[in-house]
Short mmCIF file of all heavy atoms in Angstrom, two decimals:
data_model
loop_
_atom_site.label_atom_id
_atom_site.label_comp_id
_atom_site.label_asym_id
_atom_site.label_seq_id
_atom_site.Cartn_x
_atom_site.Cartn_y
_atom_site.Cartn_z
N GLU A 1 51.75 47.43 41.44
CA GLU A 1 51.64 48.04 40.13
C GLU A 1 51.13 47.02 39.10
O GLU A 1 50.30 47.36 38.27
CB GLU A 1 53.02 48.59 39.72
CG GLU A 1 52.99 49.30 38.39
CD GLU A 1 54.36 49.86 38.02
OE1 GLU A 1 55.16 50.17 38.92
OE2 GLU A 1 54.61 49.97 36.81
N TYR A 2 51.65 45.79 39.18
CA TYR A 2 51.21 44.76 38.22
C TYR A 2 49.73 44.41 38.43
O TYR A 2 48.99 44.27 37.47
CB TYR A 2 52.06 43.49 38.35
CG TYR A 2 53.45 43.64 37.81
CD1 TYR A 2 54.55 43.63 38.65
CD2 TYR A 2 53.67 43.81 36.44
CE1 TYR A 2 55.83 43.78 38.16
CE2 TYR A 2 54.95 43.96 35.94
CZ TYR A 2 56.03 43.94 36.80
OH TYR A 2 57.28 44.09 36.31
N VAL A 3 49.33 44.30 39.66
CA VAL A 3 47.93 43.96 39.96
C VAL A 3 47.02 45.10 39.51
O VAL A 3 45.96 44.86 38.90
CB VAL A 3 47.75 43.67 41.46
CG1 VAL A 3 46.28 43.49 41.80
CG2 VAL A 3 48.54 42.44 41.87
N ALA A 4 47.43 46.32 39.75
CA ALA A 4 46.62 47.46 39.32
C ALA A 4 46.54 47.51 37.79
O ALA A 4 45.46 47.75 37.23
CB ALA A 4 47.21 48.76 39.86
N SER A 5 47.66 47.26 37.12
CA SER A 5 47.65 47.24 35.65
C SER A 5 46.73 46.15 35.13
O SER A 5 45.94 46.37 34.21
CB SER A 5 49.07 47.00 35.11
OG SER A 5 49.92 48.04 35.47
N ALA A 6 46.82 44.97 35.73
CA ALA A 6 45.97 43.87 35.30
C ALA A 6 44.51 44.18 35.56
O ALA A 6 43.64 43.86 34.74
CB ALA A 6 46.38 42.58 36.01
N SER A 7 44.21 44.80 36.66
CA SER A 7 42.83 45.15 36.98
C SER A 7 42.25 46.13 35.97
O SER A 7 41.11 45.98 35.52
CB SER A 7 42.74 45.73 38.38
OG SER A 7 43.14 44.79 39.34
N VAL A 8 43.02 47.14 35.62
CA VAL A 8 42.56 48.13 34.64
C VAL A 8 42.37 47.48 33.28
O VAL A 8 41.35 47.69 32.61
CB VAL A 8 43.54 49.32 34.56
CG1 VAL A 8 43.19 50.23 33.38
CG2 VAL A 8 43.53 50.11 35.85
N LEU A 9 43.35 46.67 32.85
CA LEU A 9 43.23 46.01 31.55
C LEU A 9 42.05 45.04 31.52
O LEU A 9 41.34 44.95 30.52
CB LEU A 9 44.53 45.28 31.22
CG LEU A 9 45.72 46.18 30.90
CD1 LEU A 9 47.00 45.36 30.82
CD2 LEU A 9 45.49 46.95 29.61
N ALA A 10 41.82 44.34 32.62
CA ALA A 10 40.67 43.43 32.69
C ALA A 10 39.37 44.20 32.63
O ALA A 10 38.40 43.76 32.00
CB ALA A 10 40.74 42.59 33.96
N ALA A 11 39.32 45.34 33.28
CA ALA A 11 38.10 46.15 33.31
C ALA A 11 37.72 46.65 31.92
O ALA A 11 36.54 46.76 31.60
CB ALA A 11 38.26 47.31 34.27
N ILE A 12 38.71 46.94 31.09
CA ILE A 12 38.42 47.44 29.73
C ILE A 12 38.42 46.31 28.69
O ILE A 12 38.26 46.56 27.51
CB ILE A 12 39.39 48.56 29.32
CG1 ILE A 12 40.83 48.06 29.25
CG2 ILE A 12 39.28 49.74 30.23
CD1 ILE A 12 41.80 49.07 28.65
N GLY A 13 38.63 45.06 29.16
CA GLY A 13 38.59 43.92 28.25
C GLY A 13 39.82 43.76 27.40
O GLY A 13 39.76 43.17 26.33
N ALA A 14 40.95 44.27 27.85
CA ALA A 14 42.19 44.18 27.06
C ALA A 14 43.28 43.43 27.79
O ALA A 14 44.46 43.58 27.47
CB ALA A 14 42.67 45.59 26.71
N LEU A 15 42.93 42.60 28.76
CA LEU A 15 43.93 41.85 29.51
C LEU A 15 44.42 40.68 28.68
O LEU A 15 43.69 39.75 28.39
CB LEU A 15 43.35 41.35 30.82
CG LEU A 15 44.32 40.56 31.71
CD1 LEU A 15 45.52 41.43 32.09
CD2 LEU A 15 43.62 40.06 32.94
N GLU A 16 45.66 40.76 28.26
CA GLU A 16 46.31 39.70 27.48
C GLU A 16 47.71 39.52 28.03
O GLU A 16 48.28 40.41 28.66
CB GLU A 16 46.38 40.08 26.01
CG GLU A 16 45.03 40.20 25.35
CD GLU A 16 45.13 40.59 23.88
OE1 GLU A 16 46.25 40.89 23.42
OE2 GLU A 16 44.10 40.59 23.21
N ALA A 17 48.29 38.38 27.77
CA ALA A 17 49.64 38.09 28.27
C ALA A 17 50.64 39.10 27.70
O ALA A 17 51.57 39.50 28.39
CB ALA A 17 50.05 36.68 27.89
N GLN A 18 50.45 39.51 26.46
CA GLN A 18 51.38 40.46 25.84
C GLN A 18 51.38 41.81 26.54
O GLN A 18 52.37 42.52 26.52
CB GLN A 18 51.03 40.64 24.36
CG GLN A 18 51.26 39.40 23.53
CD GLN A 18 52.72 39.02 23.44
OE1 GLN A 18 53.59 39.88 23.39
NE2 GLN A 18 52.99 37.73 23.44
N SER A 19 50.28 42.17 27.18
CA SER A 19 50.20 43.44 27.89
C SER A 19 51.07 43.44 29.14
O SER A 19 51.64 44.46 29.50
CB SER A 19 48.76 43.74 28.30
OG SER A 19 47.92 43.75 27.18
N LEU A 20 51.13 42.28 29.80
CA LEU A 20 51.88 42.20 31.05
C LEU A 20 53.30 41.69 30.87
O LEU A 20 54.20 42.10 31.61
CB LEU A 20 51.14 41.29 32.04
CG LEU A 20 49.73 41.74 32.39
CD1 LEU A 20 49.05 40.71 33.25
CD2 LEU A 20 49.77 43.09 33.09
N ALA A 21 53.51 40.81 29.91
CA ALA A 21 54.84 40.24 29.65
C ALA A 21 55.04 40.17 28.14
O ALA A 21 54.69 39.18 27.51
CB ALA A 21 54.96 38.87 30.28
N PRO A 22 55.62 41.22 27.55
CA PRO A 22 55.73 41.29 26.09
C PRO A 22 56.51 40.14 25.45
O PRO A 22 56.29 39.81 24.30
CB PRO A 22 56.46 42.61 25.85
CG PRO A 22 56.24 43.41 27.08
CD PRO A 22 56.10 42.43 28.19
N ALA A 23 57.41 39.48 26.18
CA ALA A 23 58.20 38.40 25.61
C ALA A 23 57.45 37.07 25.58
O ALA A 23 57.95 36.08 25.05
CB ALA A 23 59.49 38.23 26.39
N THR A 24 56.25 37.02 26.12
CA THR A 24 55.46 35.79 26.16
C THR A 24 54.96 35.45 24.77
O THR A 24 54.34 36.29 24.11
CB THR A 24 54.26 35.95 27.11
OG1 THR A 24 54.73 36.36 28.37
CG2 THR A 24 53.49 34.67 27.23
N PRO A 25 55.20 34.19 24.30
CA PRO A 25 54.69 33.82 22.98
C PRO A 25 53.16 33.69 23.02
O PRO A 25 52.59 33.28 24.02
CB PRO A 25 55.34 32.46 22.70
CG PRO A 25 55.73 31.94 24.03
CD PRO A 25 55.98 33.12 24.92
N LEU A 26 52.52 34.06 21.93
CA LEU A 26 51.06 33.97 21.84
C LEU A 26 50.62 32.54 21.62
O LEU A 26 51.29 31.75 20.94
CB LEU A 26 50.54 34.84 20.70
CG LEU A 26 50.65 36.35 20.89
CD1 LEU A 26 50.20 37.07 19.64
CD2 LEU A 26 49.82 36.78 22.07
N TYR A 27 49.50 32.17 22.19
CA TYR A 27 48.91 30.84 22.00
C TYR A 27 48.15 30.82 20.69
O TYR A 27 47.31 31.68 20.43
CB TYR A 27 47.96 30.53 23.16
CG TYR A 27 47.17 29.26 22.96
CD1 TYR A 27 47.77 28.03 23.14
CD2 TYR A 27 45.84 29.30 22.61
CE1 TYR A 27 47.06 26.86 22.97
CE2 TYR A 27 45.11 28.14 22.44
CZ TYR A 27 45.73 26.92 22.62
OH TYR A 27 45.02 25.77 22.43
N ASP A 28 48.47 29.85 19.85
CA ASP A 28 47.77 29.68 18.58
C ASP A 28 47.03 28.35 18.61
O ASP A 28 47.65 27.28 18.64
CB ASP A 28 48.77 29.69 17.43
CG ASP A 28 48.09 29.55 16.08
OD1 ASP A 28 46.87 29.76 15.99
OD2 ASP A 28 48.80 29.23 15.10
N PRO A 29 45.69 28.38 18.66
CA PRO A 29 44.94 27.12 18.77
C PRO A 29 45.15 26.19 17.58
O PRO A 29 45.15 24.98 17.73
CB PRO A 29 43.48 27.57 18.89
CG PRO A 29 43.45 28.99 18.48
CD PRO A 29 44.83 29.54 18.65
N ASN A 30 45.35 26.73 16.38
CA ASN A 30 45.56 25.87 15.22
C ASN A 30 46.89 25.12 15.32
O ASN A 30 46.96 23.93 15.00
CB ASN A 30 45.52 26.69 13.93
CG ASN A 30 44.15 27.25 13.66
OD1 ASN A 30 43.14 26.63 13.99
ND2 ASN A 30 44.09 28.44 13.10
N THR A 31 47.92 25.80 15.77
CA THR A 31 49.21 25.15 15.94
C THR A 31 49.12 24.07 17.00
O THR A 31 49.64 22.96 16.83
CB THR A 31 50.28 26.18 16.33
OG1 THR A 31 50.35 27.18 15.31
CG2 THR A 31 51.64 25.54 16.51
N ASN A 32 48.43 24.36 18.09
CA ASN A 32 48.28 23.37 19.15
C ASN A 32 47.47 22.17 18.66
O ASN A 32 47.82 21.03 18.95
CB ASN A 32 47.60 24.00 20.36
CG ASN A 32 47.60 23.07 21.54
OD1 ASN A 32 48.63 22.51 21.89
ND2 ASN A 32 46.45 22.90 22.17
N PHE A 33 46.42 22.41 17.90
CA PHE A 33 45.62 21.31 17.36
C PHE A 33 46.47 20.42 16.46
O PHE A 33 46.43 19.19 16.57
CB PHE A 33 44.43 21.86 16.57
CG PHE A 33 43.64 20.78 15.88
CD1 PHE A 33 42.73 20.01 16.59
CD2 PHE A 33 43.83 20.52 14.54
CE1 PHE A 33 42.01 19.01 15.96
CE2 PHE A 33 43.11 19.52 13.90
CZ PHE A 33 42.20 18.76 14.61
N ASP A 34 47.24 21.04 15.56
CA ASP A 34 48.10 20.26 14.67
C ASP A 34 49.14 19.47 15.45
O ASP A 34 49.44 18.33 15.12
CB ASP A 34 48.79 21.17 13.66
CG ASP A 34 47.82 21.71 12.62
OD1 ASP A 34 46.74 21.11 12.43
OD2 ASP A 34 48.14 22.74 12.00
N ARG A 35 49.68 20.06 16.51
CA ARG A 35 50.69 19.38 17.31
C ARG A 35 50.09 18.15 18.00
O ARG A 35 50.69 17.07 18.01
CB ARG A 35 51.27 20.33 18.35
CG ARG A 35 52.37 19.72 19.20
CD ARG A 35 52.92 20.72 20.20
NE ARG A 35 51.91 21.23 21.12
CZ ARG A 35 51.52 20.61 22.23
NH1 ARG A 35 52.05 19.45 22.55
NH2 ARG A 35 50.60 21.14 23.00
N ILE A 36 48.88 18.30 18.53
CA ILE A 36 48.25 17.19 19.22
C ILE A 36 47.72 16.15 18.23
O ILE A 36 47.94 14.95 18.39
CB ILE A 36 47.08 17.70 20.11
CG1 ILE A 36 47.59 18.67 21.17
CG2 ILE A 36 46.30 16.56 20.72
CD1 ILE A 36 48.57 18.06 22.14
N ARG A 37 47.04 16.60 17.21
CA ARG A 37 46.39 15.69 16.27
C ARG A 37 47.39 14.92 15.42
O ARG A 37 47.17 13.76 15.11
CB ARG A 37 45.43 16.48 15.38
CG ARG A 37 44.61 15.63 14.48
CD ARG A 37 43.68 14.78 15.31
NE ARG A 37 42.63 14.28 14.46
CZ ARG A 37 41.91 13.24 14.75
NH1 ARG A 37 42.11 12.59 15.86
NH2 ARG A 37 40.98 12.85 13.95
N HIS A 38 48.47 15.56 15.02
CA HIS A 38 49.43 14.94 14.12
C HIS A 38 50.77 14.67 14.79
O HIS A 38 51.77 14.50 14.13
CB HIS A 38 49.63 15.82 12.88
CG HIS A 38 48.35 16.09 12.15
ND1 HIS A 38 47.62 15.10 11.53
CD2 HIS A 38 47.65 17.23 11.98
CE1 HIS A 38 46.54 15.63 11.00
NE2 HIS A 38 46.53 16.92 11.25
N GLY A 39 50.76 14.64 16.10
CA GLY A 39 51.99 14.39 16.86
C GLY A 39 52.33 12.91 16.88
O GLY A 39 51.71 12.07 16.23
N PRO A 40 53.35 12.55 17.66
CA PRO A 40 53.74 11.14 17.76
C PRO A 40 52.58 10.28 18.25
O PRO A 40 51.84 10.66 19.15
CB PRO A 40 54.86 11.15 18.81
CG PRO A 40 55.30 12.57 18.91
CD PRO A 40 54.15 13.43 18.48
N GLY A 41 52.42 9.15 17.63
CA GLY A 41 51.35 8.24 18.03
C GLY A 41 50.10 8.37 17.18
O GLY A 41 49.24 7.51 17.20
#
């Protein structure tokens, strides 16, 4: 069922982590950049 769901979502261009696992936090590139660029060191 999960593979079929992922296949359908991928086919329509809507495959995202939130579609398959709603509790998954979204990736924010700006937050990641700030964490790396202004992190320790």
Side-chain angles (χ1 to χ4, degrees):
E1 182 179 333
Y2 288 112
V3 173
S5 297
S7 297
V8 170
L9 290 171
I12 63 171
L15 180 60
E16 296 180 353
Q18 294 294 325
S19 303
L20 300 175
T24 305
L26 290 175
Y27 173 76
D28 181 17
N30 293 327
T31 302
N32 188 49
F33 174 80
D34 289 340
R35 182 179 60 83
I36 299 298
R37 186 65 163 159
H38 303 295

